[in-house]
Structures are given as structure tokens and as C-alpha cells.
Amino acid sequence: MEDPAVPGTGGPPANGNGNGGGKGKQAAPKGREAFRSQRRESEGSVDCPTLEFEYGDADGHAAELSELYSYTENLEFTNNRRCFEEDFKSQVQGKEWLELEEDAQKAYIMGLLDRLEVVSRERRLKVARAVLYLAQGTFGECDSEVDVLHWSRYNCFLLYQMGTFSTFLELLHMEIDNSQACSSALRKPAVSIADSTELRVLLSVMYLMVENIRLERETDPCGWRTARETFRTELSFSMHNEEPFALLLFSMVTKFCSGLAPHFPIKKVLLLLWKVVMFTLGGFEHLQTLKVQKRAELGLPPLAEDSIQVVKSMRAASPPSYTLDLGESQLAPPPSKLRGRRGSRRQLLTKQDSLDIYNERDLFKTEEPATEEEEESAGDGERTLDGELDLLEQDPLVPPPPSEASLSAERVTFPKGLPWAPKVRQKDIEHFLEMSRNKFIGFTLGQDTDTLVGLPRPIHESVKTLKQHKYISIADVQIKNEEELEKCPMSLGEEVVPETPCEILYQGMLYSLPQYMIALLKILLAAAPTSKAKTDSINILADVLPEEMPITVLQSMKLGIDVNRHKEIIVKSISTLLLLLLKHFKLNHIYQFEYVSQHLVFANCIPLILKFFNQNILSYITAKNSISVLDYPCCTIQDLPELTTESLEAGDNSQFCWRNLFSCINLLRLLNKLTKWKHSRTMMLVVFKSAPILKRALKVKQAMLQLYVLKLLKIQTKYLGRQWRKSNMKTMSAIYQKVRHRMNDDWAYGNDIDARPWDFQAEECTLRANIEAFNSRRYDRPQDSEFSPVDNCLQSVLGQRLDLPEDFHYSYELWLEREVFSQPICWEELLQN
């Protein structure tokens, strides 16, 4: 995979060497460059309101269904309706679908599935479109969007009960193996939406069934609940000697990325894959329930708090409005000017006081120079600022003291006490006692944390406090168990591994997991808004580009919105899918999580996510790449309006884009998962200069997003140096107020032993060796292993009963002739050997 290198955050600003004259044409000094950087940093956050965002497994039901379709596909809704009505009228006379009894509806669906088993692709596609129309809610007979969504759920349960999903799964296998369609797409210079018609119809039906059946409501009848659990089991486990459904979709992703199937509708594949993983393994709230159950099974104390509820109760920190862009540009005047000015000392002191006030009020002040991309984009704006900068250089402005009203309006109110209970690891207690013993008694006792002889009373109290907040994670227990199994494989016997959906998915993914991760990151790179078009990058627009390109400005605008929306949906599905996989694998076994994490890191996931955030995140989150009148189910009820500028912007009054904010939070959570307790990966954040990139994301006033940004800043503060910490005290305060405390973690001062350089490569190699040992022990168990017992008794070996095939006695004589009598036996060689 190509390295998604993150653009540098720029070196020191260039100093001008001009000696007066032509103010606007001189190279700007450091103060002016810093002012420009500060100005650009502040521009996006002036009017950012607090975003009322509720994090969850997915968006609303209608929104999730509408994201399945691109706006280019809207014409196909009428095509599906026509195919259904033609078939329905030929089978049922004088009635509509909604007027039929349930038994008649089932009989008609059985007939549809029978008519799918024809050789003609055209006839098969027409019947599949009729099934898709049913799954879409028979909108031709509905009067409102609510009715469409209701009948869509009803029809999907009905379709599942009649065996539609397994029929469409067989058709999907046929289309994936259709070499004619693949070769046809490879020969074309540009793949369009017409090349994936059959696949899009099949995947749409399957997605609608998964999404509608997955949705739980209190009013669901008992039959629907039973069907939901049966469907979940079918998708989770291997049925009829086939792999789980998620693995088939993963194979489609890798085939698409390898270039062998450029016509695959990758957005639909990814959406379906995400929803299947969420349906079979469980969403974020279900994960919390599983975590509580797992801790109880292992005999660990219950969790101190529900992390989801704590995050929901947090409030966003609000950076103050930048009424006057002072900052580092307010440098002290030259000494010559100070000497010739009356009362200059008082002015200088006043100016210093004003800067202190400014620094106090600026919650997330940024001192880093601007990135190269920002320099280019802000080139025009800088020219207009030259005059203001010259005025600032001639006579530094001093802001008036802030009024009490403005200070009270900007004061951030936090709940009493810290939101998180502090945690201490066993390793932290051992490290603390090792230092104390070396200091007071001159020797250590290894991992003994109970013997406190010779240590002063304050140390006793400290150890007591540390033990009160000691936290043993599920991962700690799993690692300890794994070490014992490696040491004593004979005495402990064979490990009993429960066949959970997560375990079965990992076993299926194990040998192709590197390819799966690389493929997902390649698509994420192609969909990232900061990525530039390259000739060697994969084409992810095959299921959005029409056969005929737009010819008018409005059509081009619509296609541009559609393409941006398409990319946003892909980013959302991949980010959530990766996060779900990591969280479930971590709960199932820590080394499964580490295996996936390490392959993500090796595939450059960390710089890729940083590259994604190296943009104006506030603009990305508030982007309006949607046309409400063209969204499903609205477009099926109303006649499509004529394209105008007003119709493209109509009905879009939302404060932010839910999917983009959801994607940003998930990518930050993913980055936290990859770097937590990994010093080598934390150093990658430092090397790629992530601090200014992450600090820009703090402008978004959403508590959950800010929390994960602050977590990422916290783990690297010890590496950023004293000057960075000194000039970013407001960020440090926010970290203290919002992020969980580890009692012995010296993150704020950088004196921790972990902050010292060491062999980071050795850390990853040790982890990799542990992962390989785990995978080898649990999944590569050959029948004739060195630990399996050997039976040396001739009588017992000959007396063993072997299970032979049922038809073996029919061909026994033939087998005897072929395998025994016709094989020459060289007794002399046998005796010699």
C-alpha cells in the first residue's frame, strides 16, 4: 500500500532580510508569520456553536436506508416499480399488494423466487427488481414516508421467512464469479453505474433485509423476534459448509482492490459488511454489556462507571471568540523605540498583562507554524492582512481589560469533581515500590507489592491508595493465562475455546487478515477528502458515475454533491467497521486485537488518519453534501422536482452532518486504540507532528470528539518538550479536566521513565512474537503434534475402529486390488530401513 504520508507542519517561518521600503513586498518576520498562523487557526472557530450530537451505533433508520442509494440511482426506483407491477398483474388479478392476505402474499413471493431460477439474465434481473421493490416498501401504494418505511420492514420480514436471503446469496455467488462481467469492466476505459446493475440489485435487497430485521422495536411481534435471532445465527455461523457471510463480503473488498473486479459497487459492499458485523457481533452498547459479563466470568470486580454514559454527560469545552487576533505577533518593540518613548516601561508591562489575559482566555491556543497546505490556501488572505500587520508593527495594540460580563460568558463550567475514576495498573504499583525501595533501603524485591518493611509511613499510605484504585483489565488476565499455557502445555491441557460469532469470524479472517486490512485502508485513502487524485489509486466511483456525463452546470453540481456524499459514506462505513472489529476482538482475546492492530499499523493506518484530519475539520463536519428531496424515501413519494439551485439546497437546515461527525469520532477512537500503551506508536504521532493537526480538531464543540483528541494529545505531551507544555497550558488544563487519571502517570512533566528513548522496534517485535505464538498454539494444531500421545501397542492399534464411508463395502474389492495387491512390496528394502 502506498504510504499516505502526512504533509509536514512546516519548519520555522522564513525571516526577511529587507532593510526598509516596500512594506508589502518584504518577507515577513517571525512575528508576522506567527500572527498569520494564529489568524488562520482562529478563523474556523469564531462562530462554532455546541453541536447537539448523540453518538450511537448508527444514524436514524431512514438516514441509514437513504445512504444505500446514490442520487444517480434515483431513476431506477420507477424501473423497479414497473417490473413489479408487470409481474404482479400477470399473477394476481384486480388487487394491489397491500390488499392481499398474508398467505396470498407469501404464495406470490414463492412464485417470484421460482421465477428467479431461469437461465436468461434479463428475466432474472426483472424478477430481482420486483423483489427489490417489495423490500423498498411498495412505495407506489403508500401516501407518506412513514408508510414506506413501515411496509419496507414488513415486507423484509416476509421475504426472509420465505427464504429470499439464501436465494439471493446463491445469485450473489454467481455474480461474483461472473468472469464475463469482470473482463468487460476491465476492457472499458471508464466503469460506470451500468456495469454493476445486477450486483447493485442483489446487494440492495440483502442490505434492506439486514438493516430492517436488525432494527429492534418494542412493538415487534413474537414471530419477528424469533426470525431476527434465527437470521443473526445464520449470518454468524457457517451454514451448509459455507463461510460466514461477512467473509464473502471481505473477499469482495480484496477482489475489488486487486483490480480484478473494478465494477463492484464498493459502497454497497462496505455498508452491508458493516451492518452484518454490527448485527452478528453487536453494537457499542452491546459491547459494554458483554464486557460486564466477561469481567464477572473472570471474577474481576465490576466497572466503576459506564463509559458511554460518562461521555454523554460531558460538556464540550468552548474556545472564546477571537475578537482581536493578538498573539505571538505582539512582539516587544525594538529597544531603540523603547528608549525614546515616554512611559515605555508601563506600556510594556500593560502589554504583557494583556498577553497574559489573552493566553488565559484562549483555551486551545496554537503556537505551531502553519502547514504547507494552509500556506497555499491562505495566500490571498495573507496579502489583505499585510496592512494590518504593518499597523501592528508600528504601534502595538493593547486590548482593553475584559468586562466581567464577557469573562462570565466565556467561563467554562465543569461538573463537580472529575468525570472518571482514576485507575492504577499492577505495573505502576511495582514501579512505584521499586523506586521507593531503591531510595530508602537500597534493594528491590521484584514483583512483591505486599512487603513494606523499612519504608516510611507516607509510602505505606501511597501504596494503600494505589491499591484502592488498582484496575485489572480483561486483557491482563488473558495475557497471564496465555503465558501459563505457553509454559505448561502438557499439565494445563488443551484450552477450551467457546465458538462465539466473534471467534468464528476471527478464525475465518486469520490467514487473509493482512490483505483485508490493506484493502480497507486503500479504499479509505481514496475516499479521504485530503487525498489528491492519482493515476495508480483505485476508482471508488464505479457505483455513482452515470453512463452519460452531465452536460449542464446543475447536473454537474448534483453529480459533485453525489460524489462527495458517496466518499463520506465510505469513510463512515470503514471507520465504524474497523472500530467494531477492534473492540470485539479485544474483548474476545487481547492477542486477536493486537494482531489486527499491528497489521493496521504496518499498513500506515496512523499517518492515514492524521492525513484525514489535516484539513479544516469544522468545514468537513458542517459540509452539506446532501439533497433532501432526492433522499429515500422522500424521492419515492414526491415527484422529482426540476433541478434548480434552490432545489439542490432545499430542506437542509441541519447544524452539522451526522455521518461526518460520526466518522471523525470513530477515526479518533481507532487512533486511540492503536496507540494506547504503545510507546513506539506514540512516537509515530510525534514524528508525524500530529499535535497541531489534533489541536485544530478541538475547535469542534462536541464533547466526545474533544475527549478523544485530548487523549491523543495526553499520551504524547511527555515527548513534546517543556516549551510546548508551557505554551499550551489551556490544553493541558482541558486534559486534566476531561481525561481519566492514571495516578503514577507523569504525563504533564515528562519525567517518566517511559519517556526515555529505547528500542521501539524491539517492542513491536516482542509483541509480534507473542501474537504468532498465540495464533500458532490455538489455530495451527496439526494432528501429529509432538505433544500428542503415541500408542505403541500392536493389539490396540489393530483393534481401533475406523469410521469408513457408507458406500465403502461396495468398492472394497476394487480398493484392495488397487491399494494392496497391485502395489509391489520390497521386503529387503523394508528390512534394511
Side-chain angles (χ1 to χ4, degrees):
M1 178 183 172
E2 61 181 320
D3 183 0
V6 180
T9 50
N15 252 336
N17 297 321
N19 298 319
K23 294 178 184 175
K25 297 180 182 179
Q26 287 184 21
K30 286 185 179 179
R32 184 186 299 182
E33 287 296 324
F35 174 83
R36 287 173 177 164
S37 172
Q38 181 69 30
R39 181 65 172 256
R40 284 193 296 273
E41 291 292 325
S42 67
E43 278 173 356
S45 61
V46 174
D47 295 315
C48 175
T50 302
L51 304 181
E52 299 297 329
F53 172 81
E54 187 173 348
Y55 188 82
D57 290 335
D59 202 350
H61 185 51
E64 291 296 335
L65 294 182
S66 71
E67 288 179 355
L68 175 65
Y69 311 103
S70 62
Y71 297 143
T72 315
E73 291 179 88
N74 277 8
L75 295 175
E76 297 188 9
F77 284 113
T78 53
N79 200 359
N80 299 340
R81 180 179 176 180
R82 189 183 69 252
C83 290
F84 172 81
E85 288 176 348
E86 287 175 0
D87 186 272
F88 189 74
K89 287 176 181 175
S90 66
Q91 302 296 322
V92 181
Q93 302 296 329
K95 283 191 176 182
E96 292 188 340
W97 171 258
L98 301 185
E99 296 173 355
L100 293 180
E101 298 291 331
E102 185 176 337
D103 292 340
Q105 290 175 338
K106 287 181 178 180
Y108 174 71
I109 290 173
M110 285 297 293
L112 273 179
L113 298 182
D114 288 340
R115 289 189 288 281
L116 271 175
E117 298 178 6
V118 292
V119 178
S120 170
R121 282 173 64 86
E122 289 184 8
R123 289 174 60 191
R124 201 163 60 230
L125 178 61
K126 282 187 175 182
V127 178
R129 283 191 179 280
V131 176
L132 177 56
Y133 176 73
L134 284 174
Q136 287 170 341
T138 51
F139 49 82
E141 303 174 30
C142 298
D143 299 323
S144 66
E145 296 177 24
V146 177
D147 288 347
V148 174
L149 295 176
H150 167 76
W151 286 108
S152 176
R153 277 196 88 215
Y154 173 84
N155 292 343
C156 282
F157 273 101
L158 206 60
L159 288 168
Y160 170 70
Q161 289 164 0
M162 303 313 296
T164 307
F165 193 87
S166 55
T167 304
F168 270 66
L169 185 57
E170 292 175 10
L171 293 174
L172 182 63
H173 275 287
M174 286 171 53
E175 286 300 326
I176 292 171
D177 299 333
N178 187 352
S179 56
Q180 185 180 354
C182 292
S183 58
S184 172
L186 286 168
R187 286 195 301 269
K188 288 189 175 183
V191 184
S192 71
I193 200 168
D195 297 300
S196 59
T197 305
E198 289 85 357
L199 275 170
R200 283 187 295 105
V201 170
L202 297 176
L203 290 168
S204 295
V205 171
M206 298 171 101
Y207 178 85
L208 287 168
M209 290 179 70
V210 169
E211 180 62 13
N212 278 309
I213 295 174
R214 179 188 71 84
L215 183 68
E216 295 184 24
R217 287 188 177 152
E218 293 180 1
T219 56
D220 289 347
C222 185
W224 285 15
R225 296 175 192 221
T226 307
R228 181 181 297 117
E229 293 309 314
T230 309
F231 192 29
R232 182 183 279 118
T233 306
E234 280 184 20
L235 294 175
S236 303
F237 299 96
S238 304
M239 307 295 287
H240 311 299
N241 295 324
E242 291 184 359
E243 58 190 3
F245 183 49
L247 291 178
L248 175 66
L249 298 173
F250 268 119
S251 67
M252 289 184 73
V253 173
T254 51
K255 192 173 181 181
F256 171 80
C257 284
S258 65
L260 298 175
H263 65 298
F264 279 4
I266 197 62
K267 183 189 81 173
K268 286 181 168 54
V269 174
L270 290 169
L271 280 173
L272 182 54
L273 177 56
W274 163 36
K275 292 300 170 65
V276 166
V277 168
M278 183 163 66
F279 182 36
T280 54
L281 303 187
F284 297 119
E285 290 192 7
H286 183 63
L287 262 165
Q288 190 72 11
T289 309
L290 290 176
K291 190 175 181 181
V292 172
Q293 291 175 0
K294 189 102 173 182
R295 289 186 68 83
E297 288 170 10
L298 296 173
L300 296 174
L303 295 167
E305 71 269 304
D306 185 342
S307 56
I308 296 174
Q309 298 305 319
V310 173
V311 173
K312 282 182 179 179
S313 64
M314 287 177 120
R315 293 183 59 186
S318 51
S321 57
Y322 293 81
T323 52
L324 181 61
D325 282 324
L326 299 168
E328 289 181 340
S329 62
Q330 277 202 336
L331 303 174
S336 58
K337 289 190 178 182
L338 284 176
R339 281 196 296 271
R341 191 175 294 171
R342 190 178 170 193
S344 59
R345 179 173 176 79
R346 174 179 291 181
Q347 287 195 357
L348 183 60
L349 290 173
T350 310
K351 182 184 136 190
Q352 186 58 49
D353 290 343
S354 71
L355 283 177
D356 291 341
I357 292 169
Y358 176 78
N359 285 334
E360 280 297 314
R361 296 171 63 208
D362 187 358
L363 191 56
F364 301 124
K365 183 171 175 285
T366 303
E367 274 75 21
E368 292 82 358
T371 61
E372 293 174 5
E373 288 187 5
E374 287 179 323
E375 290 289 345
E376 294 171 4
S377 63
D380 295 333
E382 285 177 0
R383 297 189 193 96
T384 61
L385 284 172
D386 279 344
E388 296 174 31
L389 286 167
D390 291 335
L391 287 173
L392 284 173
E393 286 170 0
Q394 288 172 8
D395 190 9
L397 296 173
V398 179
S403 64
E404 290 185 10
S406 63
L407 282 176
S408 63
E410 289 163 0
R411 190 173 294 121
V412 182
T413 55
F414 288 98
K416 292 181 180 180
L418 297 169
W420 303 99
K423 286 182 180 177
V424 180
R425 295 180 297 170
Q426 177 71 16
K427 177 185 170 186
D428 298 330
I429 302 175
E430 292 169 5
H431 177 57
F432 174 74
L433 278 171
E434 183 184 353
M435 291 176 61
S436 302
R437 285 168 180 153
N438 277 327
K439 181 177 180 181
F440 292 105
I441 57 179
F443 63 89
T444 63
L445 297 175
Q447 297 180 345
D448 183 1
T449 58
D450 297 324
T451 306
L452 303 178
V453 177
L455 296 175
R457 175 57 54 187
I459 300 296
H460 288 233
E461 294 295 329
S462 300
V463 172
K464 181 182 176 184
T465 305
L466 289 174
K467 286 185 175 179
Q468 282 175 350
H469 294 91
K470 181 179 170 183
Y471 176 75
I472 302 173
S473 67
I474 295 170
D476 294 336
V477 177
Q478 291 171 340
I479 290 172
K480 189 176 179 181
N481 291 343
E482 192 62 28
E483 289 172 354
E484 291 175 358
L485 283 166
E486 283 291 324
K487 285 179 187 175
C488 316
M490 298 292 288
S491 57
L492 291 176
E494 196 170 327
E495 182 189 14
V496 178
V497 182
E499 292 286 310
T500 61
C502 187
E503 181 65 30
I504 289 169
L505 180 62
Y506 181 79
Q507 289 177 18
M509 292 177 66
L510 180 61
Y511 299 106
S512 302
L513 196 137
Q515 291 87 342
Y516 294 155
M517 296 302 110
I518 289 171
L520 288 173
L521 292 183
K522 274 188 176 181
I523 300 170
L524 183 62
L525 176 64
T530 50
S531 297
K532 294 181 172 58
K534 295 179 182 177
T535 52
D536 57 341
S537 63
I538 52 178
N539 177 23
I540 57 170
L541 304 177
D543 50 336
V544 70
L545 294 177
E547 278 189 280
E548 297 178 1
M549 295 306 287
I551 53 175
T552 67
V553 175
L554 285 171
Q555 287 176 346
S556 300
M557 284 175 62
K558 176 190 167 187
L559 183 58
I561 292 171
D562 205 4
V563 166
N564 290 337
R565 174 178 176 267
H566 179 81
K567 289 181 176 180
E568 290 171 1
I569 295 167
I570 287 176
V571 171
K572 170 188 168 183
S573 55
I574 293 178
S575 62
T576 320
L577 171 65
L578 288 175
L579 182 61
L580 274 175
L581 287 174
L582 282 181
K583 288 184 77 68
H584 276 285
F585 287 151
K586 186 175 184 181
L587 193 60
N588 200 48
H589 199 287
I590 183 63
Y591 283 135
Q592 295 178 351
F593 161 80
E594 296 291 5
Y595 186 54
V596 179
S597 297
Q598 202 161 58
H599 280 294
L600 285 172
V601 173
F602 292 161
N604 290 325
C605 184
I606 291 175
L608 171 55
I609 295 175
L610 292 176
K611 180 175 182 177
F612 179 90
F613 278 94
N614 194 23
Q615 59 169 316
N616 188 337
I617 285 295
L618 196 57
S619 298
Y620 181 74
I621 284 171
T622 55
K624 302 293 173 64
N625 288 314
S626 60
I627 307 168
S628 56
V629 292
L630 298 182
D631 282 334
Y632 172 88
C634 178
C635 63
T636 61
I637 297 298
Q638 304 174 4
D639 294 332
L640 292 180
E642 190 176 343
L643 272 182
T644 62
T645 310
E646 291 76 18
S647 67
L648 291 180
E649 299 174 356
D652 198 10
N653 301 320
S654 56
Q655 190 184 23
F656 59 91
C657 178
W658 196 95
R659 67 172 164 266
N660 288 357
L661 184 49
F662 185 63
S663 302
C664 289
I665 291 173
N666 288 338
L667 287 171
L668 288 169
R669 295 183 73 184
L670 187 59
L671 200 52
N672 268 286
K673 287 279 177 204
L674 296 179
T675 54
K676 189 176 182 181
W677 303 121
K678 305 288 190 304
H679 301 289
S680 56
R681 298 174 193 176
T682 304
M683 284 306 297
M684 288 180 72
L685 294 178
V686 179
V687 168
F688 288 120
K689 299 181 180 177
S690 65
I693 295 172
L694 292 169
K695 279 184 63 183
R696 279 199 294 274
L698 288 170
K699 295 174 188 173
V700 180
K701 287 174 63 176
Q702 205 285 320
M704 194 169 186
L705 183 138
Q706 288 184 348
L707 171 66
Y708 288 106
V709 170
L710 293 170
K711 279 187 175 185
L712 287 166
L713 287 171
K714 178 186 174 182
I715 61 175
Q716 52 180 317
T717 47
K718 63 179 75 168
Y719 304 107
L720 293 174
R722 183 180 297 174
Q723 184 57 41
W724 187 92
R725 296 192 292 272
K726 182 180 175 183
S727 54
N728 289 275
M729 286 310 295
K730 283 298 174 182
T731 306
M732 302 287 281
S733 298
I735 291 171
Y736 179 85
Q737 289 165 335
K738 288 182 173 291
V739 182
R740 187 193 300 278
H741 288 269
R742 302 274 176 172
M743 287 191 170
N744 285 15
D745 187 8
D746 199 9
W747 65 272
Y749 300 99
N751 300 322
D752 190 356
I753 192 170
D754 288 341
R756 298 172 191 172
W758 71 34
D759 188 359
F760 291 135
Q761 192 173 3
E763 186 187 29
E764 289 288 347
C765 288
T766 306
L767 179 62
R768 189 170 190 177
N770 292 336
I771 294 167
E772 287 177 354
F774 163 76
N775 285 333
S776 175
R777 182 190 61 76
R778 188 183 271 198
Y779 304 110
D780 296 341
R781 289 174 292 188
Q783 293 297 320
D784 300 322
S785 70
E786 57 181 313
F787 296 120
S788 56
V790 178
D791 190 353
N792 294 319
C793 178
L794 182 64
Q795 293 296 326
S796 66
V797 169
L798 292 175
Q800 285 180 2
R801 180 176 178 81
L802 296 176
D803 292 328
L804 299 171
E806 293 179 1
D807 57 346
F808 183 73
H809 64 279
Y810 295 120
S811 56
Y812 172 70
E813 293 179 355
L814 184 63
W815 176 85
L816 205 61
E817 181 67 34
R818 186 180 68 243
E819 299 292 336
V820 181
F821 299 144
S822 63
Q823 296 292 333
I825 300 173
C826 301
W827 297 103
E828 292 81 4
E829 287 184 19
L830 185 64
L831 290 172
Q832 287 172 5
N833 291 335

